Amino acid sequence: MRGANQSSVSEFLLLGLSRQPQQQQALFALFLSMYLATVLGNLLILLAISVDPHLHIPMYFLLSHLSFVDICFSTTTVPKMLANHILGTQAISFSGCLTQMYFLFELADMDNFLLAVMAYDRFVAICHPLHYSTKMTHQLCALLVAGSWVIANLNALLHTLLMARLSFCADNAIPHFFCDVTPLLKLSCSDTHLNEVMILTEGSLIMISPFICILASYVHITCAVLRVPSTKGRWKAFSTCGSHLAVGSLFYGTIIAVYFNPLSSHSSEKDTAATVMYTVVTPMLNPFIYSLRNRDLKGALRKMVDRKICS
């Protein structure tokens, strides 16, 4: 066995989601469609928010950052998988693998933090509407987003450095379509106990704390909505909160299932299916759930399209 800071593996092989040629073609078309939908949907949101002055408020400031992060999140994994399919290769360099893992950690954490801040924003707007402009200031939003980026970067750096110290001796085949931490730990011929402990402790704190904030915010929102006399108003609020919670549950449920269990209990097939949900499906759904159902944002998109047609 080599030293803790060395590795006999210079590259890994990403085996992808299937080894059957027909299935690979179908998966290529599916992932390409989902990636294009993710990029297009989130870019439209970014454009609409940037060109409409009425949307320069905290809620849409946070939505724009979520859209940017979701584009980056999908771009970290899907283009590499599509390129490997076109080029007929499965290889990714050791440094490229660690880089991909770093950005996955960082962007997953950012998604996590932004969902929590957005839930708090809705809590203040619904439960304390008279104090919204004084509580949710642009300075506070900028501070929350900047702090989220700092914590996300530090967390990603921690887990990437912990992975870089491990040795990989013989097997370099990853039964996945990107460099995820769980299959990498299984391939290592070093002691991975510290990595697992940090994921289950520090990683759990990073992920669970915002999730608790989201649940607490929506519990207070639900209590406030139940006091609304209008049945139509209650139904509209519950519909919006329900869709937000559904996507949040999908995001957090799959992450918890993949990362916060003992390494011995993991199945590569189940882990791969779960990671597809939070790395590809959730970023694609977020524009529809959080933004494209929004009347103000749809109005801004219509104005933008009409302006382009007129010009």
Side-chain angles (χ1 to χ4, degrees):
M1 185 181 297
R2 291 175 177 256
N5 61 345
Q6 297 179 357
S7 173
S8 59
V9 171
S10 61
E11 67 178 19
F12 293 100
L13 299 178
L14 299 173
L15 301 183
L17 297 173
S18 173
R19 299 185 187 183
Q20 301 296 325
Q22 290 183 338
Q23 290 183 357
Q24 288 177 351
Q25 294 289 346
L27 288 168
F28 176 84
L30 177 63
F31 273 72
L32 177 61
S33 301
M34 289 194 294
Y35 179 67
L36 291 176
T38 300
V39 173
L40 180 61
N42 285 292
L43 275 179
L44 283 173
I45 291 165
L46 286 170
L47 286 172
I49 292 173
S50 64
V51 300
D52 193 334
H54 296 99
L55 301 183
H56 295 173
I57 59 175
M59 183 175 104
Y60 296 107
F61 172 78
L62 297 172
L63 280 174
S64 65
H65 277 82
L66 182 68
S67 294
F68 172 74
V69 168
D70 282 341
I71 291 172
C72 296
F73 200 14
S74 288
T75 302
T76 303
T77 57
V78 179
K80 176 62 179 175
M81 186 194 76
L82 299 178
N84 279 1
H85 178 81
I86 293 172
L87 298 173
T89 182
Q90 297 176 319
I92 183 171
S93 66
F94 184 79
S95 59
C97 191
L98 290 182
T99 301
Q100 190 180 59
M101 194 189 81
Y102 171 85
F103 283 110
L104 279 167
F105 266 106
E106 178 192 33
L107 296 167
D109 287 346
M110 277 305 300
D111 246 344
N112 175 36
F113 295 142
L114 286 172
L115 291 177
V117 176
M118 288 167 64
Y120 175 72
D121 173 79
R122 291 300 82 206
F123 159 72
V124 176
I126 294 173
C127 299
H128 304 282
L130 299 178
H131 302 286
Y132 180 76
S133 59
T134 57
K135 287 190 173 184
M136 288 302 295
T137 62
H138 288 286
Q139 291 84 354
L140 177 62
C141 289
L143 184 63
L144 289 172
V145 171
S148 298
W149 278 111
V150 170
I151 297 172
N153 274 281
L154 291 175
N155 183 56
L157 183 62
L158 169 67
H159 290 283
T160 304
L161 291 176
L162 286 174
M163 184 65 69
R165 73 184 182 86
L166 300 180
S167 296
F168 297 88
C169 302
D171 190 5
N172 68 338
I174 300 175
H176 217 316
F177 67 99
F178 64 88
C179 287
D180 198 14
V181 62
T182 303
L184 282 172
L185 290 177
K186 286 185 176 181
L187 290 180
S188 175
C189 53
S190 302
D191 183 8
T192 61
H193 179 70
L194 179 59
N195 298 65
E196 294 179 53
V197 169
M198 291 305 295
I199 290 172
L200 292 173
T201 54
E202 183 268 349
S204 296
L205 182 65
I206 290 286
M207 295 304 298
I208 302 297
S209 298
F211 184 53
I212 292 173
C213 292
I214 292 172
L215 290 180
S217 296
Y218 280 113
V219 166
H220 283 89
I221 289 172
T222 301
C223 294
V225 168
L226 288 174
R227 293 194 290 268
V228 175
S230 168
T231 304
K232 184 179 179 180
R234 284 201 301 268
W235 171 250
K236 183 179 178 182
F238 278 131
S239 174
T240 302
C241 292
S243 59
H244 289 190
L245 285 173
V247 172
S249 300
L250 181 66
F251 178 76
Y252 286 103
T254 51
I255 285 182
I256 291 170
V258 171
Y259 299 111
F260 302 126
N261 286 309
L263 199 60
S264 58
S265 67
H266 285 266
S267 160
S268 60
E269 292 81 8
K270 292 180 180 178
D271 285 356
T272 302
T275 52
V276 168
M277 298 304 291
Y278 82 85
T279 59
V280 182
V281 176
T282 303
M284 181 184 68
L285 291 178
N286 278 345
F288 302 96
I289 298 299
Y290 284 96
S291 306
L292 297 183
R293 296 179 63 205
N294 183 287
R295 185 181 302 171
D296 294 334
L297 194 54
K298 285 194 290 187
L301 287 169
R302 285 195 201 96
K303 289 179 184 177
M304 187 173 65
V305 172
D306 291 343
R307 197 179 299 127
K308 288 291 183 182
I309 293 173
C310 292
S311 61

